[in-house]
Amino acid sequence: MSRLEADHLARPDFAAIPRYSPGPDVEINLSENTNLWGTPPAAAAALREGVTAGVANYPNMYADSLKRVVAELVGVGTDCVVTGNGSDDVIDCAIRAFASPGEKIAVPDPTFVMVPVFSRINSVIPVLVPLKSNHEMDCDAMLATGARIIYLCSPNNPVPVSTPVEAMRKVIANAPGLVLLDEAYAEFAGETGLLREAPALQRLLVCRTLSKAYGLAGLRVGYATAAPNIIETIEKSRGPFKVNAQAERAAVAALTLDHEWVTARVAEAVANRIRLDAGLRSLGFVPLPSRANFLLVPTPKAFEIAAHLRRHGIAVRPFRALTGIGDAFRITAGPWPLMERVLAVLRS
Ligand SMILES: *Cc1c(COP(=O)(O)O)cnc(C)c1O
């Protein structure tokens, strides 16, 4: 069969859906907002002990041990917790389950690039709502779309700005359908977020990830809280066995035993982000305010700078023509010697 014929086998709208570009293969990867200090110690130990344990068997269908740990930590019932193969998975399954093909999802612009992609994969139409001039989400405009799902992200990405919780509460109180709040960077903002309140708020799903502060991006673990009927619906959409046995064991260890390590690394990431911000300003850049473990630096030279850093073994993430911002590069805050290397390359 020719390539041309094979192309016609897929759903027609898939031609316009991009395949995510592969992550950079470089010495220092400051492009994905992961934990650059590495894996938390108890999670690493759990992985070493369990390399082959139970691998001949299927994992627990819905990762019950992880659910119990999250439920206890957050202070909600276990029936108010869903897990996934990354929080990506939870977002994808929620979009599929809470909007029918052809219905709309309101998405801030810019935000997490995967959200419009998952929407279109599920035949749900993303309605992009520009951020306000202060880079917070425009909650009134998002409500005004009347969309079946409203996606909120606070702190947002790649614009690392938080939106006041009162504005988000107004959305939750007035939305016609599901409100999906992505709190991937909440640990760095030092904000409580709405994880604990989600089940009582009826239409709210709050997603967290172990890929950022918790240093487990390679294992793909995410979770979310909501009222039990929402959780059950997402589990139907998601299917069983999505969190593998090793990932579940490491995630349980991280959430129960690594709290101190994670808290210390989060504090270091925030301190180094502030130092990096000052260093970049001394070079004439003006990063946007940040509540996360990264900076967004608007500059017409974003792609040139990314290429220059790349030649020195450092990856940052350049963005083209972000709405209301223009070209910009995003850089993850990590151990200070790495930040120093970035500043030295930029000075040269
Ligand atoms: C990184 C990120 C996620 C998450 O990822 P998983 O690795 O799939 O858990 C989700 N939302 C935002 C905004 C992110 O930046």
Side-chain angles (χ1 to χ4, degrees):
M1 189 161 40
S2 73
R3 167 82 201 229
L4 201 63
E5 279 176 76
D7 280 349
H8 289 294
L9 297 177
R11 254 170 51 188
D13 54 344
F14 262 57
I17 291 174
R19 187 164 172 269
Y20 202 76
S21 25
D25 184 16
V26 288
E27 189 193 341
I28 302 174
N29 184 1
L30 309 179
S31 76
E32 291 176 328
N33 302 339
T34 48
N35 188 323
L36 295 163
W37 285 268
T39 310
L47 285 171
R48 277 194 300 273
E49 282 161 23
V51 183
T52 56
V55 167
N57 301 319
Y58 281 102
N60 181 278
M61 279 194 195
Y62 295 102
D64 287 339
S65 72
L66 177 56
K67 277 196 192 190
R68 279 194 297 274
V69 165
V70 170
E72 177 138 340
L73 209 64
V74 177
V76 297
T78 48
D79 57 348
C80 299
V81 180
V82 61
T83 63
N85 188 245
S87 56
D88 270 18
D89 188 25
V90 178
I91 294 167
D92 176 34
C93 295
I95 292 172
R96 179 157 60 247
F98 286 89
S100 297
E103 288 187 317
K104 292 186 278 188
I105 177 171
V107 181
D109 181 25
T111 196
F112 187 35
V113 291
M114 287 310 295
V115 174
V117 176
F118 285 136
S119 303
R120 285 151 61 205
I121 288 170
N122 291 300
S123 298
V124 173
I125 300 159
V127 179
L128 304 183
V129 180
L131 302 177
K132 300 199 295 188
S133 56
N134 63 3
H135 306 297
E136 291 172 7
M137 292 183 287
D138 190 339
C139 287
D140 291 333
M142 299 203 53
L143 258 181
T145 62
R148 195 75 175 78
I149 301 178
I150 296 179
Y151 171 83
L152 304 174
C153 188
S154 183
N156 200 354
N157 169 25
V159 178
V161 172
S162 289
T163 295
V165 72
E166 307 78 56
M168 295 195 286
R169 283 186 194 283
K170 194 173 153 200
V171 175
I172 298 158
N174 295 288
L178 184 78
V179 178
L180 201 172
L181 169 58
D182 188 338
E183 294 186 341
Y185 299 97
E187 290 92 347
F188 304 100
E191 290 159 7
T192 324
L194 293 176
L195 202 56
R196 183 175 193 162
E197 274 184 72
L201 293 174
Q202 298 299 325
R203 59 182 60 252
L204 179 65
L205 176 74
V206 179
C207 295
R208 294 271 182 123
T209 178
L210 275 79
S211 300
K212 306 288 160 64
Y214 275 87
L216 296 178
L219 292 179
R220 314 299 302 120
V221 186
Y223 63 89
T225 58
N229 54 340
I230 293 178
I231 297 300
E232 194 187 340
T233 305
I234 292 172
E235 286 186 342
K236 286 186 201 171
S237 168
R238 199 207 68 172
F241 308 131
K242 289 301 190 296
V243 176
N244 72 64
Q246 267 68 1
E248 183 175 5
R249 203 164 31 238
V252 164
L255 289 170
T256 49
L257 302 170
D258 284 321
H259 183 74
E260 240 172 82
W261 186 92
V262 170
T263 307
R265 298 295 86 74
V266 163
E268 219 172 329
V270 170
N272 290 355
R273 182 200 75 212
I274 292 167
R275 279 178 86 182
L276 178 64
D277 179 272
L280 289 168
R281 279 173 196 276
S282 75
L283 294 172
F285 295 104
V286 186
L288 297 189
S290 174
R291 302 282 289 167
N293 65 336
F294 61 91
L295 291 172
L296 185 72
V297 189
T299 163
K301 290 187 171 169
F303 282 80
E304 247 173 85
I305 289 167
H308 180 58
L309 287 167
R310 192 63 175 262
R311 285 190 288 274
H312 290 80
I314 299 165
V316 297
R317 174 85 185 265
F319 290 88
R320 180 87 65 202
L322 292 172
T323 302
I325 292 166
D327 289 1
F329 69 88
R330 190 184 68 192
I331 178 167
T332 311
W336 189 250
L338 300 187
M339 306 291 95
E340 241 324 306
R341 275 180 68 174
V342 171
L343 291 170
V345 173
L346 290 178
R347 259 180 234 121
S348 67

